[in-house]
Amino acid sequence: MINYDRFINKSLADVKPSGIRRFFAIAEEMDNVISLGVGEPDFKTPWHIRQNGIDYLEQGRTRYTANAGMIELRREISNFYARKYLIKYNPDNEILVTVGGSEGIDMALRAIITPGDEVLVVEPSFVCYKPITEVCGGTAVPLVTTEENSFKLTAEELENAITDKTKVLVLPFPNNPTGAIMTESELKAIAKVIINNDLFVISDEIYSELTYTPEGHCSIASINGMQERTVVINGFSKTYSMTGWRLGYALGPAPIIKQMTKLHQFAIMSAPTNSQYAAIDALKFGDGDILKMKEDYDMRRRFTVDGFRKIGLECFEPLGAFYAFPCIKSTGLRSEEFAERLIKSKRVAVVPGDAFGDCGEGYIRVSYCYSIENIKEAIRLIGEFIEELKNED
């Protein structure tokens, strides 16, 4: 018998599977489950975007594009960030079109991290930053945020975590799973620390357009001195409800983008051609679509938070993304036990908070990018579940 352990990358073998996908898989195997676990919009991709993709398919425009992506798309991405965030990126050498935002994160970390480097990762946060860092031979160091501080990163916390091995800060705001955001003044405070300590930043801004404050999203790359030391990750999945099109992009200094493009060239070649054509239409004509979806998410956001509070669970008010992060410590159950018992007894799928870092223990993540009817029924069933737990005592 072959000993496959000899051939498998040990760093990869030690990585735990995603806690998000685990509960999604359980839900798929059961009938009549209300799943609030996966962050996938229930909106269809707007018709004019789909139509553009169809038109180019019918014209047979299905060949490879440039490794970095179609220049027409990179120009539109550049225009989008200049228009929205007043940041100018050169489409020739400061933009890479990727297969979703996830590939952009992977390419950025692999282009920068070498064995022994420390990467500061704000937690709770999306599940991929730590595993990718570890596969690269780096060490992921959690920067724990708390509900008491609105799940924000402070300059003092950042300063205290830096060592002589620290190289990169992963900054994921608006945040998945908490829905927390960072304001311009808060970003300016941590930017001083970043510059003083000569760090680099990977800013995951995939939920940038889903920010529910009058000021909207602020990119750390817009802060003085930060554009040259930041790779911004963004994409089309959440903003335009284009998850299956698998298209994202990275913005950053030309020397870093050059190395990321080299990796992308060898691993991927180029992002899907049809998706790139559709994305051009999204950027040119999709502002109205963003606004409509955002208004609907905002209504669901307020309904979800209010619903959890009514059934007796404390719930931080999310100001970005499309997740709520209610606290379940009052039930006496750990997050994973709560999620497992809930799906088995009530057929409601949520994600345990510790899937997003140890500091997420005592919380569950609920996605409100589903219909208001499903959200309403799920909260009712969770309320029933909590009452049944009380009767067990």
Side-chain angles (χ1 to χ4, degrees):
M1 178 163 308
I2 296 175
N3 177 15
Y4 289 104
D5 289 342
R6 281 187 58 225
F7 303 101
I8 294 173
N9 182 327
K10 187 176 184 306
S11 296
L12 182 59
D14 290 342
V15 170
K16 295 179 181 178
S18 166
I20 302 174
R21 305 309 298 185
R22 175 170 173 260
F23 278 85
F24 179 64
I26 293 173
E28 280 194 321
E29 294 173 0
M30 300 173 69
D31 295 326
N32 301 317
V33 172
I34 300 175
S35 178
L36 304 183
V38 179
E40 181 163 26
D42 67 336
F43 295 105
K44 291 180 180 178
T45 304
W47 172 245
H48 66 94
I49 299 173
R50 285 181 279 152
Q51 183 67 63
N52 206 50
I54 292 168
D55 289 345
Y56 281 104
L57 273 177
E58 290 181 337
Q59 294 169 27
R61 299 195 184 188
T62 56
R63 295 182 178 274
Y64 292 130
T65 71
N67 295 133
M70 294 168 58
I71 188 61
E72 298 94 331
L73 176 55
R74 284 180 278 145
R75 285 172 182 153
E76 290 303 328
I77 293 169
S78 177
N79 292 339
F80 183 82
Y81 257 75
R83 174 164 56 88
K84 289 275 187 173
Y85 305 115
L86 305 179
I87 316 172
K88 294 182 179 180
Y89 287 97
N90 187 334
D92 292 330
N93 58 11
E94 293 182 330
I95 299 175
L96 169 65
V97 179
T98 60
V99 181
S102 296
E103 192 220 337
I105 295 165
D106 182 29
M107 294 297 144
L109 285 167
R110 284 205 277 160
I112 298 169
I113 299 306
T114 55
D117 292 337
E118 289 184 352
V119 178
L120 300 178
V121 179
V122 175
E123 291 188 352
S125 64
F126 185 50
V127 296
C128 76
Y129 313 122
K130 181 179 179 182
I132 296 170
T133 297
E134 292 174 346
V135 170
C136 292
T139 300
V141 179
L143 270 177
V144 174
T145 61
T146 64
E147 185 172 359
E148 290 72 25
N149 198 32
S150 300
F151 293 111
K152 296 173 185 283
L153 174 65
T154 68
E156 182 180 8
E157 289 166 342
L158 175 59
E159 186 74 67
N160 291 339
I162 294 171
T163 72
D164 57 358
K165 295 182 180 180
T166 305
K167 191 174 191 179
V168 175
L169 167 67
V170 175
L171 197 65
F173 291 96
N175 183 265
N176 171 14
T178 66
I181 64 170
M182 297 278 290
T183 65
E184 182 178 8
S185 61
E186 291 161 347
L187 289 172
K188 283 181 176 178
I190 67 169
K192 291 180 181 178
V193 178
I194 291 163
I195 293 168
N196 289 341
N197 288 275
D198 193 25
L199 303 185
F200 201 83
V201 175
I202 297 175
S203 182
D204 186 350
E205 302 180 14
I206 195 71
Y207 297 98
S208 61
E209 298 307 297
L210 300 178
T211 301
Y212 310 103
T213 60
E215 298 78 17
H217 174 70
C218 178
S219 173
I220 194 167
S222 69
I223 306 298
N224 189 39
M226 288 304 301
Q227 185 175 357
E228 60 261 38
R229 58 175 65 246
T230 301
V231 166
V232 173
I233 305 296
N234 212 322
F236 298 85
S237 293
K238 316 300 182 178
T239 301
Y240 300 98
S241 195
M242 293 177 66
T243 52
W245 297 77
R246 304 313 304 131
L247 202 69
Y249 54 89
L251 310 164
I256 303 295
I257 294 297
K258 179 180 180 180
Q259 300 308 315
M260 291 174 62
T261 304
K262 190 189 302 181
L263 280 170
H264 173 80
Q265 178 187 62
F266 291 129
I268 305 295
M269 178 62 76
S270 60
T273 303
N274 186 53
S275 300
Q276 293 189 55
Y277 280 118
I280 291 170
D281 189 87
L283 291 167
K284 281 184 174 180
F285 308 113
D287 283 7
D289 302 303
I290 295 172
L291 182 60
K292 288 177 184 177
M293 287 188 277
K294 179 178 172 180
E295 288 174 346
D296 205 305
Y297 288 139
D298 193 19
M299 179 270 292
R300 300 182 201 186
R301 175 183 74 91
R302 289 179 275 111
F303 181 89
T304 302
V305 171
D306 185 58
F308 277 114
R309 289 172 178 171
K310 284 180 178 176
I311 64 172
L313 292 183
E314 295 180 9
C315 189
F316 168 75
E317 182 180 2
L319 295 176
F322 42 51
Y323 307 102
F325 205 53
C327 179
I328 51 96
K329 294 176 184 178
S330 60
T331 67
L333 300 182
R334 295 183 64 80
S335 297
E336 189 158 336
E337 183 183 2
F338 184 99
E340 286 185 351
R341 290 182 60 177
L342 176 65
I343 195 170
K344 289 176 181 177
S345 66
K346 298 298 177 182
R347 294 185 179 271
V348 174
V350 299
V351 181
D354 62 351
F356 306 95
D358 292 343
C359 60
E361 177 57 61
Y363 295 84
I364 56 172
R365 190 196 75 173
V366 173
S367 173
Y368 54 82
C369 59
Y370 300 97
S371 72
I372 199 72
E373 292 79 14
N374 277 354
I375 295 170
K376 183 177 182 179
E377 179 63 6
I379 292 175
R380 184 188 71 80
L381 291 169
I382 294 171
E384 279 187 4
F385 176 65
I386 291 170
E387 289 303 313
E388 290 169 8
L389 289 177
K390 291 178 182 176
N391 294 331
E392 290 179 1
D393 297 336

